[in-house]
Amino acid sequence: MSYHAPYPQPTGEPAIIDNAFVEHVRRDMLAFAQLQLRDAALAEDAVQDALTAALTGGQEFAGRSALKTWVFGILRHKIVDLIRQQSRTTPISAFGDDEDSLDQAFDSLFKENAHWQPAHRPAAWGDPEASLRDKHFWAVFDACLTHLPKNTARVFMMREFLELDTGEVCTAAGISTSNCHVILHRARSALRGCLEKSWFLAGERPC
Amino acid sequence: MLSCKDATRRMSEAEDRELALSERLELGMHLALCKGCRNYQQHLHVLREACREYREELTGGEEKGKSGAPAPSSGR
């Protein structure tokens, strides 16, 4: 099985896929795997395996884009496999100290009757499209993702970054559907709170 | 009537499973009356869009530079 390149490539590695490009893809892969796995050694292994499989598989690629898409496809499978293996020996728990403190922070937004505290009622975020074009926003977003506790992050990232459906996420994590929903809601609430505090309201406070 | 806390949970679940008609109606009625929860819903949409752009920026091929999202590994 091989990709049909639009032009015959010279034998060996096509010139467009040089060491600098592989190094660049490797960096992006490591960032992606580290966000998912929260374990530098595991992330390194997953990236190495995926790159080796991609570059020694005898595949031909029509270009850089095709290569990158291919290796990230392999990396996704490696990451899910690793999470699945780990969740067999160390089940992902929906409840731990880090998770408790996120839940407490979330609960504190509400009054006893479970409606918003007036001071914490969500306000409209002004011009989010402009934020998504601002490089400073992405630094904040990256920091907010990195601050999620490990188990919460793994479940959330499987859903939003590996694009698994909820059933696949729960199965890989070895948890019930209802725990899955609890964790995803917790992750979204934490990220929402983090973006609000560190970005959307950060410039609006009087000094 | 849903509480705001239940409404946030239901808005999150709506991204992960199909809500039953009765659940959608209940949520719709709550949102019609509650500005805070409508804003929360906006925030979830922004979050989802940010995740999508971030993911595409990291994993995409030649789409790079299309959105404002920088690869997080660069510049560190």
Side-chain angles (χ1 to χ4, degrees):
Chain A
M1 184 175 92
S2 73
Y3 281 87
H4 298 288
Y7 303 103
Q9 298 285 356
T11 49
E13 204 174 69
I16 45 169
I17 297 170
D18 52 15
N19 286 342
F21 178 68
V22 171
E23 194 42 48
H24 156 83
V25 172
R26 201 183 125 75
R27 264 206 329 267
D28 280 358
M29 290 169 81
L30 260 183
F32 187 77
Q34 174 63 21
L35 271 174
Q36 300 277 331
L37 293 166
R38 302 309 181 89
D39 181 314
L42 268 188
E44 187 77 44
D45 287 351
V47 168
Q48 203 52 50
D49 284 358
L51 267 179
T52 307
L55 297 176
T56 59
Q59 289 276 350
E60 284 175 28
F61 298 98
R64 294 182 162 192
S65 182
L67 171 68
K68 198 169 180 192
T69 304
W70 174 253
V71 288
F72 266 94
I74 298 176
L75 182 60
R76 279 198 182 89
H77 285 292
K78 299 265 175 213
I79 293 172
V80 178
D81 278 349
L82 284 170
I83 293 177
R84 199 175 280 136
Q85 276 170 24
Q86 287 214 328
S87 69
R88 273 193 214 116
T89 46
T90 328
I92 285 187
S93 160
F95 308 99
D97 289 349
D98 291 339
E99 287 76 15
D100 271 355
S101 72
L102 283 188
D103 287 350
Q104 279 166 18
F106 182 66
D107 287 344
S108 74
L109 303 177
F110 299 94
K111 296 184 292 197
E112 270 184 29
N113 65 4
H115 291 276
W116 298 106
Q117 295 269 15
H120 296 303
R121 186 179 297 127
W125 287 350
D127 203 357
E129 289 80 15
S131 293
L132 298 182
R133 290 192 299 269
D134 186 329
K135 71 175 168 33
H136 300 295
F137 170 81
W138 293 104
V140 170
F141 188 65
D142 191 40
C144 287
L145 281 176
T146 307
H147 275 116
L148 284 181
K150 180 168 156 181
N151 287 338
T152 305
R154 282 185 169 183
V155 171
F156 179 74
M157 304 290 288
M158 275 196 280
R159 179 80 184 103
E160 298 289 350
F161 281 63
L162 297 184
E163 298 170 88
L164 301 185
D165 69 37
T166 317
E168 294 170 314
V169 172
C170 310
T171 308
I175 53 180
S176 68
T177 311
S178 75
N179 271 349
C180 226
H181 286 139
V182 168
I183 296 173
L184 288 167
H185 176 239
R186 181 188 288 139
R188 294 190 180 107
S189 296
L191 287 170
R192 188 204 77 86
C194 183
L195 290 177
E196 178 151 279
K197 182 162 75 90
S198 311
W199 179 261
F200 287 101
L201 296 185
E204 294 179 5
R205 298 247 164 76
C207 22
Chain B
M1 175 79 180
L2 280 181
S3 69
C4 294
K5 205 176 192 174
D6 291 339
T8 64
R9 178 184 245 252
R10 193 159 299 175
M11 286 185 267
S12 172
E13 290 196 14
E15 302 208 353
D16 302 316
R17 68 176 175 90
E18 192 165 353
L19 298 182
L21 179 62
S22 59
E23 292 175 312
R24 282 208 304 277
L25 288 174
E26 213 177 12
L27 179 60
M29 267 167 55
H30 181 95
L31 290 176
L33 298 172
C34 180
K35 178 81 174 129
C37 286
R38 286 202 298 280
N39 288 332
Y40 186 95
Q41 189 176 43
Q42 181 218 9
H43 302 173
L44 286 188
H45 292 159
V46 174
L47 179 61
R48 177 144 261 212
E49 180 59 21
C51 285
R52 191 185 62 76
E53 287 198 19
Y54 194 87
R55 182 181 73 221
E56 287 182 358
E57 192 63 24
L58 270 182
T59 65
E62 286 166 348
E63 296 292 302
K64 223 164 180 67
K66 215 175 168 190
S67 80
S73 52
S74 64
R76 275 209 209 141

